Each structure stands twice: as structure tokens, then as C-alpha cells.
Amino acid sequence: MDSTFSALRINPHRLQSNFAALSAIGATPEGGVNRPALNTAHLEARQWFRQRAMEAGLDFRVDSAGNHSALLTCTDPAAPTLLLGSHLDSVPNGGRFDGALGVLAALEVLCTVKDFGLTLPVNLEAIDFTDEEGTLVGLLGSAALAGHLTPQDLQSPRGGRDALLDGLACAGLTETGLLAARRDPATLAGYLELHIEQGPRLIQVGADIGVVTAIVGIASHRLAFTGRADHAGTTPMPDRLDAAQGAAAFTLAVRQMVMDEFPECVANVGALHLEPGAFNIVPARAVLALECRSADPSIFDPLEAALLERARLEAERFGLGLEIEFLGKHAPAPMSALAQQAITEAAEALDLRHIPLASGAGHDAQSLAPLCPAGMIFVPSVGGASHAPREFTEWQDCINGANVLLHAALRIGLHIS
Ligand code: GLV
Ligand code: MN
Ligand code: MN
């Protein structure tokens, strides 16, 4: 690579001061942030991002899906755009790094290229996608941009229809706008995202950088085991149609089944609600939130089918009914060879130890993967912790990741010409 480019580094002080300022928005007493999509703190964080980008002399745009973008355009009006980004929303009571690091590093790359007066043959865009975390729908802004979003996705979102409508109203967004946010893939040169690993592997093997090979597919269902409310004191045990028994047996079976039959996959029962919900009433209804994940497209559908079949069997075993509500699915996504190569070369040029690894978490990059060369860079998560306030990445690792993002972006950007 040209020596003008190879000596380039991001400004770690500016990145750190931006990180501190952003972390204060929606800060929780436990040291994390609470910025579920389109809540007040999340909207404030987006406002902060806009302000920061404009102060840096960048252009700014918000699309009809609410995706917020800082822009560094090049002189060629026909040039494609290289997207860099992640998300500013968090899970409820989440950590400071998930998503935020990727958006701030993207902004930092644009500022660095601008500071050094470099001319690239691509536009650079630092993008903050709407509702990555799935408080409302999940990968909402990126799916809208990719043109994958369907009216059905908005009818039965996993966070509930009312929450979605309330959030959209607070942010001044509409369903029509979401469904019209598609970008022409011919205008996109690629997508790169820096993210914390959210797992223990990089630290276990002493690597600085993960070159992501693929992102898991995620399927979400709400299951309701239905029985009959009865007096909890007078109804003999064998006569009960106890919905809690079906839900409990299923929850235990999920773990065993995945470990025995789908060892590369995971599944989670993340919420369980009993109705009517009293000490002295046999539960008539047990509603649970089921999610399953696999990075392997040939296993993903069989995994989902096997879990639902197991729910039917457990319902039958306890004489219960079963209602299954499908709440959305994101396909497993391999990352592009071009992006993986650019990230690997960038890590090598920066003398950083790197390994290939698949992502067990969902990311906006999986929405972009079918459209353009998409890739992800992981940096180590201390203790593998994430989606919790104790989520932490050493500052040097954040800087390393941002420099790899910069150099991978330069490689892809220059490759276009
Ligand atoms: C998002 O971070 C997810 O993997 O659920
Ligand atoms: Mn994330
Ligand atoms: Mn997350």
C-alpha cells in the first residue's frame, strides 16, 4: 500500500473523548447504558452523534428508516459509498461498548481521512443503524436499507406491535418510511463494522483481532402452552392441565437437545410468563420467548424445526395445547472474502495477532452481506461479557480495532479504483 496511507493512524484521544461523552448518555449506576431503540436516551445519543459529526465538518443525513449517517463525500459524483458503522441502541441495562464502539470508530475513520486531506475514489459513510438489538424488531434499520424488511416484520415484531408504534412515533418515523428505505446495491462499495467480540475466544488464544468469517442466523418465536386454571389446593395433581409443566419441561429439553444434537448451535428461553399468575391457581397459560441461532445455513432450519417439534411433544405429554407465533428470522451470513482479506491484511500491516472466527451474536453486517462485500472486525471482550453493564474492552484493543477498520476501509476503498 502507498506509504501516504500506510503511516495513517486514527486519533486515540478524540476517539476516547467521544466514547466517554457517548457513554454518559443513558448511563446506569452499574456502569453500563440503558438505550433501548428509540427511547429518550437513544434519541439523545443519536442527536449527539449528529452534532459531533457536524462539528467535525462532515455532512449528515437521516434516511427514512431513521439510520443516522455522517458523510465524507469524494469529488466523483458517480463514486460508490463504503459504509462503516454499527448501532447506538443498547439492550435494556446493557454495556457501553456493544454497537457504540463501531459507530465511534467509523466516525473516527472519516475524521482521520478528512484531517489528512486524503482523496479516495469512494464516499465514506459512518452509519448508526436503527434498532439493531431487537428491542423492537431487530436489525431494523439495516434490513430496511437492504430492502429485506416486509410489512409482516412490522405486524408481529418481537418487542410487540405497540412498542414499535410508540417508538416510531417518538422518533418521527413511519412504517411507510421504513419500507421505502432501500438503497441501490450498485451504489455500495461495501460495509465494514468494528465490534467487541462479546465472547471469550480472542482472549483465550491471546489474539488482538478477530476476522469474522460468518454471522449466526437467529429465529425468534413466542410459544404459549395452554392448560386450564384450577384451584391449586383442591385439584388432585393427576387431574391438572398445568401449563407451567409443559413450559418447564420444554425449557430443560431445549438445553439438552441443543447440546446433544446441535453442538455448534445455541438456543435460549429468555422470558417466561405464567397466567393468571397467582399462588393458588394452577397456571392456565405459560408464554415463553424462544430464540435459536446457528452460523451454518444447512443446520439452521432443522434446528428451528426440531425445537418446535419438541414443544409439541412436551405439550402433548402434559395434555396441553400449544400456540406458536413466529416473530422473525435473520439468515446466517458468511462474510465476504474480499472484506476478510482486507481486514487480515490490515491487521498484519499493523502487527496485530489475528484469528478467523464466527460471530454468535447478530449484527447489521448480516443484513448487508447479500448486497455488497461485508466484513466485521472483533476486538477482545474481557471475561467474554456482553449485554450486561460489566461489558469491557481494554482501551488499547479499541484503538487497535479502529486502526484495523481504517486500514481495511482504505484497502477496500482503493481496490475500487
Ligand atoms: C444482538 O446483539 C444479538 O445478538 O442479539
Ligand atoms: Mn451490537
Ligand atoms: Mn448486542
Side-chain angles (χ1 to χ4, degrees), residues 87 98-99 132-133 195 363:
H87 57 97
D98 180 355
E132 189 273 350
E133 291 290 10
H195 206 282
H363 295 287

Side-chain angles (χ1 to χ4, degrees), residues 91 98 132-133 158 198 218 291 293 360-363 387:
V91 291
D98 180 355
E132 189 273 350
E133 291 290 10
R158 71 178 198 172
Q198 307 180 275
I218 306 176
E291 194 198 71
R293 303 185 181 213
H363 295 287
H387 283 190

Side-chain angles (χ1 to χ4, degrees), residues 242-280:
D242 181 345
Q245 300 304 311
F250 174 67
T251 303
L252 292 173
V254 164
R255 174 183 160 81
Q256 206 54 50
M257 203 175 113
V258 171
M259 291 197 317
D260 294 346
E261 296 168 37
F262 298 94
E264 303 299 319
C265 305
V266 293
N268 187 45
V269 175
L272 178 56
H273 179 72
L274 301 181
E275 297 170 13
F279 286 95
N280 56 359

Side-chain angles (χ1 to χ4, degrees), residues 118 123 363:
L118 299 180
N123 304 308
H363 295 287

Side-chain angles (χ1 to χ4, degrees), residues 18-379:
N18 281 340
F19 187 80
L22 179 59
S23 299
I25 304 176
T28 59
E30 298 87 0
V33 295
N34 188 45
R35 295 198 300 253
L38 309 183
N39 84 343
T40 310
H42 177 228
L43 295 180
E44 195 187 322
R46 300 191 113 179
Q47 209 34 53
W48 175 89
F49 175 48
R50 175 199 287 262
Q51 188 63 33
R52 205 63 212 86
M54 288 172 55
E55 284 163 9
L58 299 166
D59 292 329
F60 205 82
R61 179 177 69 200
V62 180
D63 72 10
S64 65
N67 298 313
H68 281 44
S69 296
L71 305 165
L72 183 61
T73 43
C74 72
T75 45
D76 176 2
T81 297
L82 177 58
L83 297 169
L84 312 173
S86 198
H87 57 97
L88 294 181
D89 65 318
S90 77
V91 291
N93 201 19
R96 292 171 293 154
F97 294 80
D98 180 355
L101 178 63
V103 175
L104 293 181
L107 177 64
E108 182 54 39
V109 168
L110 269 60
C111 291
T112 303
V113 170
K114 186 173 188 318
D115 288 350
F116 285 84
L118 299 180
T119 317
L120 297 178
V122 289
N123 304 308
L124 291 179
E125 177 170 339
I127 187 162
D128 155 35
F129 287 111
T130 301
D131 180 38
E132 189 273 350
E133 291 290 10
T135 316
L136 302 172
V137 178
L139 306 184
L140 177 59
S142 55
L145 183 150
H148 305 151
L149 194 69
T150 65
Q152 176 55 30
D153 296 329
L154 302 177
Q155 280 312 311
S156 54
R158 71 178 198 172
R161 174 93 179 141
D162 291 347
L164 175 63
L165 295 182
D166 286 353
L168 294 181
C170 287
L173 297 171
T174 63
E175 293 180 82
T176 316
L178 281 167
L179 293 167
R182 178 182 174 275
R183 298 252 297 253
D184 178 358
T187 64
L188 301 177
Y191 174 67
L192 294 176
E193 178 168 354
L194 169 65
H195 206 282
I196 55 166
E197 181 200 340
Q198 307 180 275
R201 288 166 296 174
L202 291 176
I203 288 183
Q204 279 168 359
V205 301
D208 303 305
I209 295 292
V211 183
V212 178
T213 53
I215 302 177
V216 283
I218 306 176
S220 312
H221 294 84
R222 186 171 294 118
L223 305 186
F225 290 86
T226 57
R228 188 181 62 212
D230 270 309
H231 195 296
T234 59
T235 313
M237 292 303 274
D239 296 347
R240 300 177 185 212
L241 295 178
D242 181 345
Q245 300 304 311
F250 174 67
T251 303
L252 292 173
V254 164
R255 174 183 160 81
Q256 206 54 50
M257 203 175 113
V258 171
M259 291 197 317
D260 294 346
E261 296 168 37
F262 298 94
E264 303 299 319
C265 305
V266 293
N268 187 45
V269 175
L272 178 56
H273 179 72
L274 301 181
E275 297 170 13
F279 286 95
N280 56 359
I281 309 175
V282 175
R285 195 174 168 83
V287 184
L288 59 82
L290 173 69
E291 194 198 71
C292 63
R293 303 185 181 213
S294 169
D296 182 341
S298 70
I299 297 180
F300 186 44
D301 287 343
L303 166 71
E304 182 187 9
L307 288 168
L308 296 180
E309 181 53 24
R310 186 59 186 249
R312 285 184 202 99
L313 289 175
E314 296 299 347
E316 205 177 295
R317 184 149 78 98
F318 293 96
L320 305 169
L322 180 70
E323 296 165 11
I324 299 176
E325 189 185 359
F326 172 67
L327 296 176
K329 196 178 209 171
H330 303 289
M335 295 291 92
S336 98
L338 174 75
Q340 290 184 59
Q341 188 187 341
I343 294 166
T344 304
E345 286 174 6
E348 278 169 11
L350 293 161
D351 221 7
L352 297 168
R353 282 157 300 167
H354 58 88
I355 56 163
L357 82 181
S359 172
H363 295 287
D364 292 308
Q366 72 201 97
S367 299
L368 276 294
L371 266 72
C372 60
M376 289 195 73
I377 302 152
F378 277 178
V379 285

